[in-house]
Amino acid sequence: MRVLFLACLSPKTGNCTTAERIRNHIVAAGHTCVLCDTREFNSASDVSSLMTQEPRFEAALAIHLFKGGRLLLDAGVPFGVVFGGTDVNEDVKDEHKRAVMEEVLRKARFLASATALMSGKVWNCSEMKAVECSYRGVPHYHNPVNAEIGLFAFFYMLNVSTHLLYLSLTCRFAVAFTDALKEQAQALLVCESKKICVQPQGIETKVALHFSWSDFLHSTGVRTKQVDNLHVFLLVCGLRRVKDPLYLLEAFAEWHSQNPLVVLIIIGPVIDPVFTAEVEESVKRSVGVFLAAELCQEELHAAMQKSFALVNSSLSEGMSAAILEAMELGLPVLARDVPGNAAIVEHKVTGLLYSSPQEFVSMSRKLLDDSELQERLVRNGKNYIATCHNTVKERITYQKLVETLH
């Protein structure tokens, strides 16, 4: 089967990494998967024109319901969408974008949405055949509305209330495998029945063998003769407002003035140039906080492995790949307490969740002084990734889901 796959392919971003990994899963099943940047298309008609060219595409996928899904409305083939955090955390607030997303969902034969803490099956609602995928991760809702189009959408978040708009419009079937989520669904969703299952992101890390930690620190502006005693808190994010990388700046600068061996390094690709300029100016005026140039994936993983802790300060999240990668690399995680982060970070078990800059500093001080806490978070984090974010299981599920688009 020849599959068109649309995604925002900004280099060195989570979306790009996820798209490439999913494409590899599809190709490994013997299909042809052509990955294209959504920014290459102005409208659904552009994609429709592409679909008429030889050799023909027989199915399509997209990451993000609005950015990608809207382009597939006139594709004329079965398609699937991978939901990201932006869809339900940001785009739903825009009336126009919400209307477009509703149109996509109204055309769905089945809908698979994702959250954490669930396990179960993916259902092809037109044939009632179950596809096994029993892992902890993200639940999937399915809806048989149009037998011509298959849509599976992975929401990557725990907050069920953010799913209401979509599911109340489209979901006829779902199966809950935890009582808590089942009760939430029954109370909040206008659906006769529901089918819910899970599929977390698979996580793969690879560390650059010849990465120079001292050169990296020097390039960011860190100047110290005590490199071995330095405690680097690494904040990995694309530079845009929703990631809120300046949230901790003042509190961390004050802590650094008391303890010069703690530093915060912000690293990630430029997504919003205007906001990036603001970040650069703010960092220049601060002490103990630095801005690093983006790295390739393997070098980033090497930098993460050398750091003391991974930091997330986002206003909202879907499912942070950086957090999951840090856990696999054996790095303690300190994440802002928002629903997307709380879905994958269990406080004081696999990481630490903070609700204010002051609480972040307090928890960080505790982490520095408590080696037992460090070891427990690292051990539990690695076990969580091995159990719940296995790429082999992810590959099996994606391959079976793609088969339902025949």
Side-chain angles (χ1 to χ4, degrees), residues 17-48:
T17 300
T18 298
E20 290 173 349
R21 191 178 65 252
I22 294 173
R23 178 184 60 178
N24 291 340
H25 294 334
I26 296 169
V27 171
H31 303 294
T32 298
C33 186
V34 179
L35 184 57
C36 296
D37 197 324
T38 52
R39 294 171 296 181
E40 297 176 6
F41 305 96
N42 293 319
S43 66
S45 62
D46 290 344
V47 174
S48 180

mmCIF file of all heavy atoms in Angstrom, residues 17-48:
data_model
loop_
_atom_site.group_PDB
_atom_site.id
_atom_site.type_symbol
_atom_site.label_atom_id
_atom_site.label_comp_id
_atom_site.label_asym_id
_atom_site.label_seq_id
_atom_site.Cartn_x
_atom_site.Cartn_y
_atom_site.Cartn_z
ATOM 1 N N THR A 17 10.673 13.877 14.789
ATOM 2 C CA THR A 17 11.160 12.590 15.280
ATOM 3 C C THR A 17 10.045 11.552 15.292
ATOM 4 O O THR A 17 10.229 10.404 14.867
ATOM 5 C CB THR A 17 11.738 12.743 16.700
ATOM 6 O OG1 THR A 17 12.815 13.680 16.666
ATOM 7 C CG2 THR A 17 12.235 11.408 17.230
ATOM 8 N N THR A 18 8.871 11.951 15.779
ATOM 9 C CA THR A 18 7.726 11.041 15.834
ATOM 10 C C THR A 18 7.310 10.599 14.435
ATOM 11 O O THR A 18 7.041 9.412 14.194
ATOM 12 C CB THR A 18 6.537 11.715 16.539
ATOM 13 O OG1 THR A 18 6.914 12.026 17.883
ATOM 14 C CG2 THR A 18 5.323 10.803 16.555
ATOM 15 N N ALA A 19 7.263 11.549 13.501
ATOM 16 C CA ALA A 19 6.859 11.225 12.132
ATOM 17 C C ALA A 19 7.818 10.229 11.492
ATOM 18 O O ALA A 19 7.398 9.269 10.836
ATOM 19 C CB ALA A 19 6.787 12.500 11.296
ATOM 20 N N GLU A 20 9.098 10.439 11.687
ATOM 21 C CA GLU A 20 10.084 9.534 11.095
ATOM 22 C C GLU A 20 9.981 8.140 11.700
ATOM 23 O O GLU A 20 10.128 7.137 10.996
ATOM 24 C CB GLU A 20 11.489 10.106 11.295
ATOM 25 C CG GLU A 20 11.744 11.362 10.455
ATOM 26 C CD GLU A 20 13.066 12.025 10.772
ATOM 27 O OE1 GLU A 20 13.693 11.640 11.787
ATOM 28 O OE2 GLU A 20 13.480 12.923 10.019
ATOM 29 N N ARG A 21 9.724 8.077 13.003
ATOM 30 C CA ARG A 21 9.602 6.774 13.651
ATOM 31 C C ARG A 21 8.362 6.029 13.160
ATOM 32 O O ARG A 21 8.418 4.824 12.858
ATOM 33 C CB ARG A 21 9.548 6.944 15.173
ATOM 34 C CG ARG A 21 9.688 5.639 15.947
ATOM 35 C CD ARG A 21 9.684 5.848 17.446
ATOM 36 N NE ARG A 21 8.424 6.363 17.935
ATOM 37 C CZ ARG A 21 8.241 7.608 18.366
ATOM 38 N NH1 ARG A 21 9.238 8.468 18.352
ATOM 39 N NH2 ARG A 21 7.054 8.001 18.808
ATOM 40 N N ILE A 22 7.236 6.724 13.045
ATOM 41 C CA ILE A 22 6.011 6.091 12.555
ATOM 42 C C ILE A 22 6.191 5.646 11.105
ATOM 43 O O ILE A 22 5.752 4.564 10.710
ATOM 44 C CB ILE A 22 4.821 7.052 12.694
ATOM 45 C CG1 ILE A 22 4.525 7.317 14.178
ATOM 46 C CG2 ILE A 22 3.579 6.474 12.018
ATOM 47 C CD1 ILE A 22 3.477 8.385 14.418
ATOM 48 N N ARG A 23 6.828 6.481 10.304
ATOM 49 C CA ARG A 23 7.077 6.098 8.908
ATOM 50 C C ARG A 23 7.893 4.807 8.849
ATOM 51 O O ARG A 23 7.604 3.910 8.044
ATOM 52 C CB ARG A 23 7.829 7.202 8.165
ATOM 53 C CG ARG A 23 8.158 6.828 6.712
ATOM 54 C CD ARG A 23 8.979 7.879 6.017
ATOM 55 N NE ARG A 23 10.258 8.113 6.667
ATOM 56 C CZ ARG A 23 11.171 8.975 6.220
ATOM 57 N NH1 ARG A 23 10.919 9.706 5.145
ATOM 58 N NH2 ARG A 23 12.310 9.136 6.873
ATOM 59 N N ASN A 24 8.903 4.705 9.703
ATOM 60 C CA ASN A 24 9.717 3.485 9.730
ATOM 61 C C ASN A 24 8.881 2.262 10.079
ATOM 62 O O ASN A 24 9.093 1.175 9.524
ATOM 63 C CB ASN A 24 10.870 3.641 10.724
ATOM 64 C CG ASN A 24 11.910 4.642 10.259
ATOM 65 O OD1 ASN A 24 11.998 4.948 9.067
ATOM 66 N ND2 ASN A 24 12.700 5.164 11.188
ATOM 67 N N HIS A 25 7.929 2.420 10.998
ATOM 68 C CA HIS A 25 7.038 1.308 11.346
ATOM 69 C C HIS A 25 6.236 0.859 10.125
ATOM 70 O O HIS A 25 6.078 -0.342 9.864
ATOM 71 C CB HIS A 25 6.053 1.730 12.447
ATOM 72 C CG HIS A 25 6.691 2.039 13.767
ATOM 73 N ND1 HIS A 25 7.890 1.504 14.171
ATOM 74 C CD2 HIS A 25 6.266 2.829 14.794
ATOM 75 C CE1 HIS A 25 8.185 1.956 15.384
ATOM 76 N NE2 HIS A 25 7.210 2.749 15.783
ATOM 77 N N ILE A 26 5.711 1.828 9.380
ATOM 78 C CA ILE A 26 4.874 1.518 8.218
ATOM 79 C C ILE A 26 5.694 0.862 7.114
ATOM 80 O O ILE A 26 5.270 -0.121 6.501
ATOM 81 C CB ILE A 26 4.194 2.808 7.712
ATOM 82 C CG1 ILE A 26 3.240 3.353 8.792
ATOM 83 C CG2 ILE A 26 3.430 2.553 6.411
ATOM 84 C CD1 ILE A 26 2.724 4.753 8.504
ATOM 85 N N VAL A 27 6.883 1.395 6.871
ATOM 86 C CA VAL A 27 7.759 0.836 5.835
ATOM 87 C C VAL A 27 8.178 -0.583 6.188
ATOM 88 O O VAL A 27 8.265 -1.460 5.322
ATOM 89 C CB VAL A 27 8.992 1.744 5.637
ATOM 90 C CG1 VAL A 27 10.026 1.064 4.735
ATOM 91 C CG2 VAL A 27 8.577 3.076 5.038
ATOM 92 N N ALA A 28 8.418 -0.826 7.475
ATOM 93 C CA ALA A 28 8.838 -2.157 7.921
ATOM 94 C C ALA A 28 7.766 -3.208 7.653
ATOM 95 O O ALA A 28 8.072 -4.408 7.574
ATOM 96 C CB ALA A 28 9.177 -2.132 9.410
ATOM 97 N N ALA A 29 6.515 -2.778 7.496
ATOM 98 C CA ALA A 29 5.416 -3.706 7.198
ATOM 99 C C ALA A 29 5.284 -3.968 5.704
ATOM 100 O O ALA A 29 4.372 -4.684 5.280
ATOM 101 C CB ALA A 29 4.105 -3.162 7.758
ATOM 102 N N GLY A 30 6.168 -3.370 4.914
ATOM 103 C CA GLY A 30 6.153 -3.609 3.476
ATOM 104 C C GLY A 30 5.408 -2.569 2.668
ATOM 105 O O GLY A 30 5.253 -2.719 1.457
ATOM 106 N N HIS A 31 4.960 -1.492 3.315
ATOM 107 C CA HIS A 31 4.255 -0.429 2.608
ATOM 108 C C HIS A 31 5.241 0.637 2.128
ATOM 109 O O HIS A 31 6.366 0.733 2.616
ATOM 110 C CB HIS A 31 3.211 0.221 3.522
ATOM 111 C CG HIS A 31 2.204 -0.733 4.073
ATOM 112 N ND1 HIS A 31 1.294 -1.391 3.288
ATOM 113 C CD2 HIS A 31 1.986 -1.155 5.356
ATOM 114 C CE1 HIS A 31 0.538 -2.169 4.048
ATOM 115 N NE2 HIS A 31 0.937 -2.050 5.306
ATOM 116 N N THR A 32 4.793 1.464 1.217
ATOM 117 C CA THR A 32 5.549 2.645 0.810
ATOM 118 C C THR A 32 4.954 3.844 1.523
ATOM 119 O O THR A 32 3.745 4.067 1.457
ATOM 120 C CB THR A 32 5.461 2.862 -0.713
ATOM 121 O OG1 THR A 32 6.044 1.741 -1.379
ATOM 122 C CG2 THR A 32 6.199 4.128 -1.124
ATOM 123 N N CYS A 33 5.781 4.600 2.235
ATOM 124 C CA CYS A 33 5.284 5.741 3.009
ATOM 125 C C CYS A 33 6.080 6.981 2.615
ATOM 126 O O CYS A 33 7.282 7.055 2.843
ATOM 127 C CB CYS A 33 5.408 5.475 4.506
ATOM 128 S SG CYS A 33 4.665 6.756 5.544
ATOM 129 N N VAL A 34 5.390 7.952 2.023
ATOM 130 C CA VAL A 34 6.024 9.185 1.565
ATOM 131 C C VAL A 34 5.722 10.287 2.579
ATOM 132 O O VAL A 34 4.569 10.676 2.769
ATOM 133 C CB VAL A 34 5.506 9.588 0.174
ATOM 134 C CG1 VAL A 34 6.164 10.892 -0.267
ATOM 135 C CG2 VAL A 34 5.779 8.482 -0.831
ATOM 136 N N LEU A 35 6.773 10.780 3.231
ATOM 137 C CA LEU A 35 6.614 11.784 4.278
ATOM 138 C C LEU A 35 6.791 13.184 3.687
ATOM 139 O O LEU A 35 7.813 13.484 3.072
ATOM 140 C CB LEU A 35 7.650 11.545 5.380
ATOM 141 C CG LEU A 35 7.596 12.427 6.628
ATOM 142 C CD1 LEU A 35 6.243 12.337 7.306
ATOM 143 C CD2 LEU A 35 8.712 12.029 7.596
ATOM 144 N N CYS A 36 5.782 14.045 3.878
ATOM 145 C CA CYS A 36 5.804 15.406 3.338
ATOM 146 C C CYS A 36 5.523 16.422 4.443
ATOM 147 O O CYS A 36 4.783 16.143 5.383
ATOM 148 C CB CYS A 36 4.767 15.575 2.236
ATOM 149 S SG CYS A 36 5.052 14.572 0.768
ATOM 150 N N ASP A 37 6.110 17.606 4.286
ATOM 151 C CA ASP A 37 5.907 18.686 5.244
ATOM 152 C C ASP A 37 4.573 19.370 4.965
ATOM 153 O O ASP A 37 4.291 19.762 3.821
ATOM 154 C CB ASP A 37 7.052 19.694 5.118
ATOM 155 C CG ASP A 37 7.157 20.617 6.324
ATOM 156 O OD1 ASP A 37 6.102 20.985 6.880
ATOM 157 O OD2 ASP A 37 8.281 20.973 6.700
ATOM 158 N N THR A 38 3.749 19.542 6.005
ATOM 159 C CA THR A 38 2.448 20.191 5.828
ATOM 160 C C THR A 38 2.595 21.611 5.290
ATOM 161 O O THR A 38 1.681 22.137 4.647
ATOM 162 C CB THR A 38 1.672 20.246 7.155
ATOM 163 O OG1 THR A 38 2.506 20.836 8.166
ATOM 164 C CG2 THR A 38 1.255 18.860 7.613
ATOM 165 N N ARG A 39 3.738 22.230 5.528
ATOM 166 C CA ARG A 39 3.950 23.606 5.077
ATOM 167 C C ARG A 39 4.113 23.703 3.564
ATOM 168 O O ARG A 39 4.123 24.809 3.011
ATOM 169 C CB ARG A 39 5.170 24.196 5.790
ATOM 170 C CG ARG A 39 4.961 24.357 7.298
ATOM 171 C CD ARG A 39 6.232 24.727 8.012
ATOM 172 N NE ARG A 39 7.234 23.674 7.911
ATOM 173 C CZ ARG A 39 8.430 23.735 8.475
ATOM 174 N NH1 ARG A 39 8.773 24.796 9.183
ATOM 175 N NH2 ARG A 39 9.289 22.736 8.336
ATOM 176 N N GLU A 40 4.228 22.554 2.904
ATOM 177 C CA GLU A 40 4.330 22.557 1.447
ATOM 178 C C GLU A 40 2.963 22.713 0.777
ATOM 179 O O GLU A 40 2.890 22.924 -0.443
ATOM 180 C CB GLU A 40 4.975 21.255 0.968
ATOM 181 C CG GLU A 40 6.407 21.046 1.446
ATOM 182 C CD GLU A 40 6.959 19.704 1.028
ATOM 183 O OE1 GLU A 40 6.268 18.991 0.264
ATOM 184 O OE2 GLU A 40 8.072 19.350 1.457
ATOM 185 N N PHE A 41 1.884 22.606 1.562
ATOM 186 C CA PHE A 41 0.536 22.640 1.003
ATOM 187 C C PHE A 41 -0.250 23.817 1.572
ATOM 188 O O PHE A 41 -0.229 24.063 2.776
ATOM 189 C CB PHE A 41 -0.194 21.331 1.311
ATOM 190 C CG PHE A 41 0.543 20.099 0.863
ATOM 191 C CD1 PHE A 41 1.354 19.394 1.749
ATOM 192 C CD2 PHE A 41 0.451 19.658 -0.450
ATOM 193 C CE1 PHE A 41 2.041 18.260 1.342
ATOM 194 C CE2 PHE A 41 1.132 18.533 -0.867
ATOM 195 C CZ PHE A 41 1.931 17.826 0.021
ATOM 196 N N ASN A 42 -0.958 24.516 0.705
ATOM 197 C CA ASN A 42 -1.758 25.657 1.148
ATOM 198 C C ASN A 42 -3.182 25.266 1.514
ATOM 199 O O ASN A 42 -3.836 25.951 2.305
ATOM 200 C CB ASN A 42 -1.797 26.726 0.056
ATOM 201 C CG ASN A 42 -0.438 27.356 -0.185
ATOM 202 O OD1 ASN A 42 0.297 27.634 0.764
ATOM 203 N ND2 ASN A 42 -0.108 27.594 -1.448
ATOM 204 N N SER A 43 -3.679 24.188 0.913
ATOM 205 C CA SER A 43 -5.076 23.804 1.143
ATOM 206 C C SER A 43 -5.267 22.328 0.843
ATOM 207 O O SER A 43 -4.369 21.655 0.309
ATOM 208 C CB SER A 43 -6.005 24.631 0.254
ATOM 209 O OG SER A 43 -5.789 24.309 -1.114
ATOM 210 N N ALA A 44 -6.464 21.836 1.164
ATOM 211 C CA ALA A 44 -6.802 20.440 0.893
ATOM 212 C C ALA A 44 -6.775 20.146 -0.598
ATOM 213 O O ALA A 44 -6.484 19.016 -1.014
ATOM 214 C CB ALA A 44 -8.170 20.110 1.478
ATOM 215 N N SER A 45 -7.058 21.150 -1.423
ATOM 216 C CA SER A 45 -7.056 20.926 -2.872
ATOM 217 C C SER A 45 -5.658 20.613 -3.387
ATOM 218 O O SER A 45 -5.499 19.872 -4.360
ATOM 219 C CB SER A 45 -7.637 22.144 -3.599
ATOM 220 O OG SER A 45 -6.846 23.296 -3.354
ATOM 221 N N ASP A 46 -4.630 21.168 -2.733
ATOM 222 C CA ASP A 46 -3.252 20.859 -3.125
ATOM 223 C C ASP A 46 -2.956 19.380 -2.910
ATOM 224 O O ASP A 46 -2.331 18.728 -3.745
ATOM 225 C CB ASP A 46 -2.257 21.698 -2.316
ATOM 226 C CG ASP A 46 -2.296 23.165 -2.685
ATOM 227 O OD1 ASP A 46 -2.859 23.486 -3.757
ATOM 228 O OD2 ASP A 46 -1.772 23.989 -1.914
ATOM 229 N N VAL A 47 -3.417 18.865 -1.772
ATOM 230 C CA VAL A 47 -3.209 17.440 -1.480
ATOM 231 C C VAL A 47 -4.055 16.591 -2.414
ATOM 232 O O VAL A 47 -3.615 15.548 -2.907
ATOM 233 C CB VAL A 47 -3.537 17.127 -0.003
ATOM 234 C CG1 VAL A 47 -3.467 15.624 0.257
ATOM 235 C CG2 VAL A 47 -2.577 17.860 0.918
ATOM 236 N N SER A 48 -5.284 17.045 -2.688
ATOM 237 C CA SER A 48 -6.155 16.312 -3.595
ATOM 238 C C SER A 48 -5.516 16.171 -4.970
ATOM 239 O O SER A 48 -5.595 15.107 -5.600
ATOM 240 C CB SER A 48 -7.503 17.041 -3.715
ATOM 241 O OG SER A 48 -8.372 16.365 -4.593
#
